[in-house]
Amino acid sequence: MKSITTAISSKASSQKSDYLAKAAEYYSRAKQLIEVDQDWQASGSMILKALAEERKSENTGLQVMNVIKYQKPKTKLEFNFRS
């Protein structure tokens, strides 16, 4: 069991580093676009892509889902009368 958890966590850290490396590439490309080409729109697009990759890196690893039990509604109406 421990080896499975270790394998999953190493895969997650590998994915995280891949996402962060991709984000760094996008940031350097954005810097080049603004400094060399003076292209504000393309630079902004690269920055948004880099931010998306950073967000992906934060969401790697084990995901826990909450299971909500569905309760079937009552078919009869229940009334409580007090006199």
Side-chain angles (χ1 to χ4, degrees):
M1 183 71 170
K2 187 175 183 177
S3 64
I4 294 172
T5 308
T6 306
I8 290 172
S9 66
S10 67
K11 182 180 176 185
S13 73
S14 172
Q15 274 184 333
K16 184 174 185 169
S17 63
D18 290 344
Y19 286 133
L20 291 175
K22 208 171 199 180
E25 289 176 27
Y26 284 135
Y27 282 129
S28 65
R29 180 74 178 130
K31 183 178 178 181
Q32 179 189 8
L33 283 169
I34 198 63
E35 290 177 351
V36 176
D37 299 336
Q38 311 260 321
D39 190 355
W40 290 88
Q41 187 172 6
S43 177
S45 177
M46 287 295 134
I47 291 171
L48 290 176
K49 286 182 181 182
L51 290 172
E53 292 298 319
E54 285 181 351
R55 187 175 59 245
K56 286 180 191 176
S57 75
E58 293 174 3
N59 293 330
T60 57
L62 295 174
Q63 302 290 322
V64 179
M65 289 181 56
N66 291 328
V67 179
I68 301 171
K69 291 183 179 181
Y70 176 74
Q71 290 184 342
K72 189 175 179 180
K74 295 179 181 179
T75 56
K76 285 201 285 184
L77 293 176
E78 295 180 9
F79 295 101
N80 290 329
F81 292 104
R82 290 186 182 180
S83 35

